[in-house]
Amino acid sequence: MCRKIKTLFNFDPPATDQEIHDAALQFVRKVSGTTKPSKRNETAFEHAIVSIAACARELLNSLETSHPPHSREEEAAKACAKNLIRFA
């Protein structure tokens, strides 16, 4: 499940709110052990996603680096090449 959580720091353009939400969703799914909560747990599940996304945004905004931002296209190309080798 957590394979979909991608590095979000130091990219140009910066991570979007949707990317942060998606990472938070994957984290909550992994921790809870379920992809879809029961009606009884739906509120807690959504609250956790919102809270984790806010913490992630705060973290990303406070991190500093001296390295230039990564290119999303270059990182995607590297992942493709790695998958070709892995699944060849």
Side-chain angles (χ1 to χ4, degrees), residues 27-28 40 60:
F27 180 78
V28 171
R40 182 181 218 169
L60 291 172

Side-chain angles (χ1 to χ4, degrees), residues 14-80:
T16 64
D17 288 337
Q18 184 62 48
E19 289 172 314
I20 293 171
H21 176 272
D22 292 346
L25 173 62
Q26 286 302 116
F27 180 78
V28 171
R29 284 177 172 173
K30 184 66 171 187
V31 170
S32 69
T34 183
T35 57
K36 188 173 192 293
S38 65
K39 289 284 184 190
R40 182 181 218 169
N41 294 322
E42 210 168 57
T43 302
F45 200 83
E46 287 301 319
H47 180 265
I49 293 168
V50 170
S51 296
I52 291 168
C55 289
R57 172 57 73 195
E58 182 181 339
L59 172 66
L60 291 172
N61 288 340
S62 65
L63 291 174
E64 298 177 10
T65 184
S66 59
H67 294 284
H70 298 285
S71 163
R72 291 183 185 278
E73 292 78 23
E74 287 177 18
E75 293 300 316
K78 284 182 197 176
C80 254

Side-chain angles (χ1 to χ4, degrees), residues 76-88:
K78 284 182 197 176
C80 254
K82 186 176 178 180
N83 281 336
L84 285 175
I85 292 168
R86 181 177 176 200
F87 297 112

